[in-house]
Amino acid sequence: MSEFGTETNPYGSFMTQPAVPEGTSARAGAKLVEGQQKASDEAIVEALRTVHDPEIPVNIYELGLIYKIEISDEKKINIEMTLTSPNCPVAESLPKMVKDNVLKIEEVSDVDLKLVWSPPWTKDMMSEAAKLELNL
Protein backbone atom coordinates (compact mmCIF):
# COMPACT_ATOMS: atom_id res chain seq x y z
CA MET A 1 0.00 0.00 0.00
CA SER A 2 1.17 3.51 -0.72
CA GLU A 3 0.86 6.42 1.67
CA PHE A 4 -2.32 7.38 -0.21
CA GLY A 5 -4.12 4.13 0.55
CA THR A 6 -3.91 2.71 -2.96
CA GLU A 7 -2.18 -0.48 -3.91
CA THR A 8 0.98 -0.12 -5.97
CA ASN A 9 2.68 -2.56 -8.28
CA PRO A 10 6.41 -3.30 -8.16
CA TYR A 11 7.09 -1.01 -11.12
CA GLY A 12 6.18 2.37 -9.74
CA SER A 13 4.21 4.55 -7.42
CA PHE A 14 0.80 5.94 -8.31
CA MET A 15 1.49 9.35 -6.84
CA THR A 16 4.77 11.16 -7.00
CA GLN A 17 3.83 14.44 -5.36
CA PRO A 18 1.93 15.19 -2.16
CA ALA A 19 -1.73 16.20 -2.29
CA VAL A 20 -2.64 19.88 -1.99
CA PRO A 21 -5.06 21.37 0.56
CA GLU A 22 -8.73 20.40 0.30
CA GLY A 23 -11.29 23.00 -0.69
CA THR A 24 -9.26 24.55 -3.50
CA SER A 25 -10.15 24.39 -7.18
CA ALA A 26 -8.72 24.84 -10.65
CA ARG A 27 -10.18 25.55 -14.09
CA ALA A 28 -9.52 23.20 -17.00
CA GLY A 29 -6.67 24.47 -19.16
CA ALA A 30 -5.46 27.08 -16.66
CA LYS A 31 -2.04 26.81 -15.04
CA LEU A 32 -2.04 26.10 -11.35
CA VAL A 33 -1.48 29.01 -9.05
CA GLU A 34 -0.84 28.79 -5.36
CA GLY A 35 -3.87 27.32 -3.61
CA GLN A 36 -5.33 25.55 -6.64
CA GLN A 37 -5.96 21.84 -6.46
CA LYS A 38 -4.55 19.28 -8.81
CA ALA A 39 -6.28 15.99 -9.46
CA SER A 40 -6.01 13.56 -6.60
CA ASP A 41 -4.58 10.11 -7.04
CA GLU A 42 -7.89 8.75 -5.72
CA ALA A 43 -9.85 10.50 -8.48
CA ILE A 44 -7.49 9.18 -11.13
CA VAL A 45 -7.64 5.63 -9.77
CA GLU A 46 -11.45 5.81 -9.65
CA ALA A 47 -11.49 6.97 -13.30
CA LEU A 48 -9.22 4.07 -14.22
CA ARG A 49 -11.44 1.61 -12.38
CA THR A 50 -14.29 2.50 -14.75
CA VAL A 51 -12.33 1.11 -17.72
CA HIS A 52 -12.66 -2.63 -18.36
CA ASP A 53 -10.99 -4.93 -20.81
CA PRO A 54 -14.03 -6.24 -22.73
CA GLU A 55 -12.73 -9.80 -22.59
CA ILE A 56 -11.99 -9.84 -18.83
CA PRO A 57 -14.66 -8.80 -16.29
CA VAL A 58 -12.17 -6.82 -14.17
CA ASN A 59 -11.14 -3.18 -14.47
CA ILE A 60 -7.71 -2.34 -15.88
CA TYR A 61 -6.43 -0.92 -12.60
CA GLU A 62 -7.08 -4.14 -10.69
CA LEU A 63 -5.68 -6.14 -13.62
CA GLY A 64 -2.36 -4.37 -13.04
CA LEU A 65 -2.24 -2.77 -16.48
CA ILE A 66 -1.39 0.66 -15.07
CA TYR A 67 2.35 0.85 -14.38
CA LYS A 68 2.79 4.52 -13.54
CA ILE A 69 0.77 7.66 -12.82
CA GLU A 70 2.42 11.05 -12.38
CA ILE A 71 0.61 14.30 -11.71
CA SER A 72 2.37 17.46 -12.89
CA ASP A 73 1.93 20.98 -11.58
CA GLU A 74 0.18 22.02 -14.79
CA LYS A 75 -2.68 19.56 -14.26
CA LYS A 76 -1.18 17.15 -16.74
CA ILE A 77 -1.33 13.44 -15.97
CA ASN A 78 1.35 11.10 -17.30
CA ILE A 79 0.28 7.46 -17.44
CA GLU A 80 2.24 4.39 -18.47
CA MET A 81 0.15 1.33 -19.10
CA THR A 82 0.38 -2.00 -20.82
CA LEU A 83 -2.03 -4.54 -22.26
CA THR A 84 -2.45 -8.19 -21.41
CA SER A 85 -0.73 -9.02 -24.71
CA PRO A 86 0.69 -7.14 -27.70
CA ASN A 87 -2.01 -8.82 -29.83
CA CYS A 88 -4.82 -7.55 -27.62
CA PRO A 89 -7.88 -6.87 -29.80
CA VAL A 90 -8.55 -3.58 -27.96
CA ALA A 91 -5.02 -2.25 -28.37
CA GLU A 92 -6.29 0.84 -30.17
CA SER A 93 -9.45 1.54 -28.19
CA LEU A 94 -8.43 0.76 -24.59
CA PRO A 95 -5.72 3.47 -24.27
CA LYS A 96 -8.17 6.01 -25.71
CA MET A 97 -10.80 4.98 -23.14
CA VAL A 98 -8.23 5.43 -20.37
CA LYS A 99 -7.27 8.88 -21.59
CA ASP A 100 -10.89 9.98 -22.10
CA ASN A 101 -11.95 8.82 -18.62
CA VAL A 102 -9.07 10.59 -16.86
CA LEU A 103 -9.79 13.77 -18.86
CA LYS A 104 -13.28 13.82 -17.32
CA ILE A 105 -11.71 14.80 -13.98
CA GLU A 106 -12.26 18.54 -13.54
CA GLU A 107 -8.70 19.24 -12.36
CA VAL A 108 -7.11 17.48 -15.36
CA SER A 109 -6.31 19.45 -18.50
CA ASP A 110 -4.16 16.92 -20.40
CA VAL A 111 -3.22 13.24 -20.32
CA ASP A 112 -0.01 11.89 -21.82
CA LEU A 113 -0.53 8.14 -22.11
CA LYS A 114 2.30 5.83 -23.10
CA LEU A 115 1.69 2.21 -23.99
CA VAL A 116 4.67 0.20 -22.76
CA TRP A 117 5.59 -3.47 -23.06
CA SER A 118 8.31 -3.74 -20.46
CA PRO A 119 7.91 -5.40 -18.14
CA PRO A 120 5.50 -7.75 -19.87
CA TRP A 121 2.18 -8.12 -18.08
CA THR A 122 1.59 -11.33 -16.15
CA LYS A 123 -1.24 -12.56 -13.92
CA ASP A 124 1.02 -11.87 -10.93
CA MET A 125 0.43 -8.13 -11.49
CA MET A 126 -3.27 -8.47 -10.72
CA SER A 127 -4.60 -7.32 -7.37
CA GLU A 128 -5.89 -9.91 -4.92
CA ALA A 129 -9.43 -8.63 -5.60
CA ALA A 130 -9.00 -9.27 -9.34
CA LYS A 131 -7.62 -12.74 -8.71
CA LEU A 132 -10.58 -13.56 -6.48
CA GLU A 133 -13.01 -12.20 -9.08
CA LEU A 134 -11.46 -14.46 -11.73
CA ASN A 135 -11.11 -17.44 -9.38
CA LEU A 136 -7.32 -17.53 -9.66
Side-chain angles (χ1 to χ4, degrees):
M1 291 283 223
S2 77
E3 64 184 284
F4 300 99
T6 56
E7 198 169 311
T8 59
N9 65 40
Y11 305 104
S13 158
F14 290 107
M15 179 76 171
T16 59
Q17 299 175 2
V20 294
E22 289 186 47
T24 58
S25 64
R27 295 180 317 279
K31 287 193 169 205
L32 286 176
V33 295
E34 189 172 330
Q36 285 184 321
Q37 185 175 5
K38 56 185 171 182
S40 70
D41 64 323
E42 292 90 359
I44 295 167
V45 168
E46 285 308 309
L48 295 171
R49 284 187 171 138
T50 65
V51 180
H52 289 76
D53 184 317
E55 296 179 339
I56 305 172
V58 176
N59 69 70
I60 62 164
Y61 182 80
E62 298 298 334
L63 280 176
L65 298 180
I66 305 299
Y67 285 176
K68 183 177 178 183
I69 299 172
E70 293 179 338
I71 304 172
S72 76
D73 289 335
E74 281 102 27
K75 303 184 320 181
K76 181 178 179 179
I77 310 300
N78 299 306
I79 298 174
E80 287 184 9
M81 69 173 288
T82 194
L83 301 173
T84 54
S85 89
N87 298 324
C88 182
V90 292
E92 288 187 32
S93 61
L94 198 61
K96 182 180 178 345
M97 287 191 299
V98 169
K99 185 173 182 175
D100 290 346
N101 279 16
V102 174
L103 278 170
K104 289 178 185 176
I105 301 169
E106 183 179 342
E107 295 86 6
V108 174
S109 63
D110 191 22
V111 175
D112 180 23
L113 188 138
K114 291 181 182 166
L115 196 56
V116 297
W117 302 106
S118 179
W121 180 86
T122 67
K123 290 179 183 177
D124 294 333
M125 294 175 174
M126 295 170 54
S127 70
E128 289 302 314
K131 290 176 184 176
L132 286 172
E133 181 75 23
L134 298 173
N135 295 318
L136 298 175

